[in-house]
């Protein structure tokens, strides 16, 4: 009887990830409700605490209360811890502790790591985790020190040090939480090249995916890059350049964003908004004051998001590239999708289509629901907020703090689905695949 009960409690890797993230969120929400977490000594109301914990763990950055002025040091540390665990994945953190106490990593734990890091196989998975931990520590330390030095010109050294590392960790994990107060994010540093370039670099390094970073480091030895790495780097570069150029053009004469800035400030502001739209969430321009054309462009960039196996969300750069490649192949009358003289397998194209359509369906459904529950809100603001939640970006037009309780719950669910992944949730809830013993005859339909 005991063995049967234990067997019923067995969770496969996708279900374990879903349950694990949910438990971390609930623990974080409980800690944020404690009086010691808030400046007023009352703690956050449960729904706001759940929203904040979900946003931090899912490295989104959407907030219903201002982080810098609402939370005590304890509350901010809780949020920062949730960001780090959520960004790297709780299995990566668990592996760190296992390595510290010299515990052997079991096969089940390796399978969980494979699912968490979106890897094809478990071969070399522990070595990859070690690389991730070292790379993260070095990157966050370097970014933290550079930002600390810059902030030390504007505030006491102790606070500058804390602010520097908080924002380094937050942006490397593509979370976007900030301590600047009054929901201002990094708008005071829009023309500052140090803050802009350091934070943009942190966002990109956290968003290209750890497998790409590992592949680039191995290049000196192997003298070759995998197809995945080539597609990620090429697509990322194209999206950053195109996004920067279009925002620069669209916002150039906007008196509330780029117009008052110097030529260098215009370029830095455009670059930052293009990079941060790829699931980071901090901003140097006032998002709510941007033109509708720019906001729609940011919605597209947010939906695409970062790359697989990274701290970011969205449908991912490789998914977007695969779909564009499939469209181009169909237009040219070719059967295969070719990238860098290599052919993609059909199942990759089908999976890309499934991820994109699943994400689009979730965004559309949640936008329709919020259009009902938040009747007085502008439609573009609702679509922007939902896409930001799904892609775990965290950019906001200012709607989030005024959401109704139902609206907050819908955004919480969207953030959770966006971080864990629509496919992971679907696989976690679905039954095991059954073998097909027969196939139906072919049929034809007209397309287009």
């Amino acid at each position: 009887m005991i063995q049967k009960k234990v067997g019923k409690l067995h969770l496969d890797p996708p279900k374990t990830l879903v349950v694990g993230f949910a438990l971390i969120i609930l623990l974080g929400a409980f800690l944020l409700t404690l009086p010691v977490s808030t400046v007023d000594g009352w703690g956050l109301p449960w729904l706001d605490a759940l929203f904040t914990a979900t946003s931090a763990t899912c490295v989104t950055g959407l907030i219903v209360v201002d982080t810098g002025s609402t939370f005590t040091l304890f509350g901010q540390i809780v949020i920062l811890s949730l960001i780090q665990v959520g960004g790297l994945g709780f299995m990566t953190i668990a592996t760190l502790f296992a390595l510290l106490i010299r515990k052997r990593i079991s096969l089940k734990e390796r399978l969980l790591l494979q699912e968490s890091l979106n890897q094809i196989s478990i071969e070399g998975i522990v070595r990859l985790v070690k690389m991730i931990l070292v790379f993260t520590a070095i990157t966050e330390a370097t970014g933290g020190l550079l930002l600390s030095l810059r902030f030390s010109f504007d505030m006491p050294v102790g606070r500058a040090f804390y602010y520097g590392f908080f924002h380094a960790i937050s942006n490397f994990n593509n979370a976007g939480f900030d301590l600047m107060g009054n929901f201002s994010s990094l708008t005071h540093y829009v023309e500052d090249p140090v803050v802009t370039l350091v934070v943009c670099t942190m966002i990109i390094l956290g968003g290209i995916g750890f497998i790409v970073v590992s592949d680039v480091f191995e290049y000196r030895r192997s003298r070759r890059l995998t197809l995945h790495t080539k597609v990620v780097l090429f697509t990322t570069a194209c999206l950053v350049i195109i996004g920067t150029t279009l925002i620069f053009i669209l916002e150039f004469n906007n008196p509330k964003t780029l117009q008052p800035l110097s030529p260098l400030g215009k370029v830095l502001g455009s670059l930052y908004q293009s990079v941060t739209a790829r699931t980071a969430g901090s901003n140097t321009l006032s998002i709510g004051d941007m033109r509708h054309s720019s906001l729609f462009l940011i919605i597209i960039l947010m939906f695409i998001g970062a790359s697989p196996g990274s701290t970011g969300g969205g449908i991912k750069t490789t998914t977007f590239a695969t779909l564009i490649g499939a469209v181009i192949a169909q237009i040219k009358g070719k059967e295969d999708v070719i990238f860098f003289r290599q052919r993609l397998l059909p199942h990759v194209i089908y999976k890309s289509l499934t991820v994109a359509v699943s994400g689009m369906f979730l965004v559309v459904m949640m936008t329709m629901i919020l259009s009902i529950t938040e009747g007085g809100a502008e439609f573009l603001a609702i679509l922007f907020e939902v896409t930001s939640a799904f892609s775990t970006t965290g950019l906001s037009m200012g709607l989030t703090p005024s959401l109704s309780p139902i609206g907050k719950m819908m955004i919480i669910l969207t953030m959770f689905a966006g971080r864990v992944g629509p496919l992971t949730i679907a696989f976690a809830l679905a039954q095991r695949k059954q073998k097909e013993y027969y196939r139906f005859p072919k049929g034809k339909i007209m397309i287009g």
Side-chain angles (χ1 to χ4, degrees), residues 63-299:
I63 52 176
V64 289
V65 294
D66 182 68
T67 308
S69 59
T70 302
F71 296 101
T72 60
L73 178 61
F74 175 82
Q76 292 170 6
I77 294 298
V78 168
I79 292 173
L80 196 62
S81 301
L82 293 175
I83 290 172
Q84 191 72 84
V85 173
L88 295 181
F90 69 91
M91 278 308 302
T92 304
I93 301 298
T95 303
L96 169 62
F97 287 110
L99 292 172
L100 290 176
I101 63 175
R102 299 183 181 277
K103 177 181 177 295
R104 185 178 179 276
I105 310 300
S106 67
L107 176 61
K108 180 180 179 181
E109 291 165 340
R110 291 170 192 264
L111 291 172
L112 285 170
L113 285 170
Q114 177 192 351
E115 184 73 23
S116 176
L117 297 173
N118 196 22
Q119 297 301 298
I120 298 174
S121 69
I122 63 172
E123 183 181 358
I125 197 72
V126 176
R127 185 174 70 252
L128 176 62
V129 169
K130 291 179 181 178
M131 186 282 298
I132 290 172
L133 293 171
V134 172
F135 175 74
T136 299
I138 293 174
T139 306
E140 290 180 349
T142 303
L145 287 172
L146 291 174
L147 290 177
S148 297
L149 290 173
R150 174 60 189 88
F151 291 153
S152 65
F153 290 94
D154 303 328
M155 59 188 74
V157 175
R159 186 192 299 176
F161 185 83
Y162 174 60
Y163 273 40
F165 276 86
F166 185 100
H167 291 90
I169 294 172
S170 177
N171 285 286
F172 174 75
N173 288 284
N174 281 219
F177 279 81
D178 71 272
L179 301 176
M180 297 303 174
N182 298 318
F183 299 94
S184 62
S185 192
L186 298 174
T187 52
H188 299 301
Y189 296 94
V190 62
E191 297 191 81
D192 192 302
V194 175
V195 173
T196 297
L197 296 179
V198 169
V199 175
C200 283
T201 302
M202 300 283 289
I203 293 169
I204 292 173
L205 290 177
I208 60 176
F210 296 114
I211 192 67
V212 173
V213 174
S214 176
D215 199 28
V216 171
F217 279 137
E218 292 291 324
Y219 178 76
R220 292 181 61 183
R221 182 179 60 82
S222 63
R223 288 297 171 184
R224 61 183 296 273
L225 296 175
T226 63
L227 176 61
H228 173 80
T229 297
K230 292 177 182 178
V231 172
V232 167
L233 294 178
F234 179 78
T235 307
T236 299
C238 288
L239 290 173
V240 170
I241 293 171
I242 293 172
T244 301
T245 303
L246 289 178
I247 291 174
F248 183 86
I249 294 172
L250 295 172
E251 294 294 319
F252 188 83
N253 292 321
N254 187 341
K256 295 183 179 180
T257 55
L258 291 185
Q259 189 184 53
L261 305 180
S262 65
L264 177 61
K266 287 182 172 66
V267 174
L268 292 175
S270 302
L271 172 66
Y272 197 99
Q273 263 43 241
S274 175
V275 171
T276 195
R278 307 281 311 296
T279 84
S282 55
N283 57 283
T284 57
L285 296 178
S286 176
I287 300 299
D289 291 327
M290 297 181 77
R291 294 196 168 106
H292 284 185
S293 54
S294 302
L295 293 172
F296 191 68
L297 170 65
I298 291 176
I299 288 174

Side-chain angles (χ1 to χ4, degrees), residues 50-63 83 175 177 394 415:
L50 181 63
F51 190 103
T52 304
T54 304
S55 183
T57 307
C58 297
V59 289
T60 304
L62 289 174
I63 52 176
I83 290 172
F177 279 81
M415 290 190 292

Side-chain angles (χ1 to χ4, degrees), residues 343-392:
R343 173 174 58 90
L344 297 186
L345 296 176
H347 81 272
V348 174
I349 301 172
Y350 283 125
K351 184 174 182 180
S352 297
L353 184 62
T354 304
V355 170
V357 173
S358 300
M360 192 174 299
F361 177 78
L362 178 62
V363 169
V364 170
M365 181 180 65
M366 288 301 180
T367 301
M368 290 182 65
I369 294 174
L370 287 184
S371 296
I372 298 172
T373 62
E374 318 301 316
E378 183 184 357
F379 175 78
L380 183 62
I382 294 175
L383 177 61
F384 191 98
E385 222 79 5
V386 171
T387 307
S388 180
F390 163 74
S391 62
T392 69

Side-chain angles (χ1 to χ4, degrees), residues 19-40:
V19 173
F21 267 101
L23 291 176
I24 291 170
I25 289 170
L26 291 175
L27 174 61
F30 168 73
L31 293 175
L32 294 178
T33 60
L34 299 178
V36 70
S37 293
T38 57
V39 174
D40 61 12

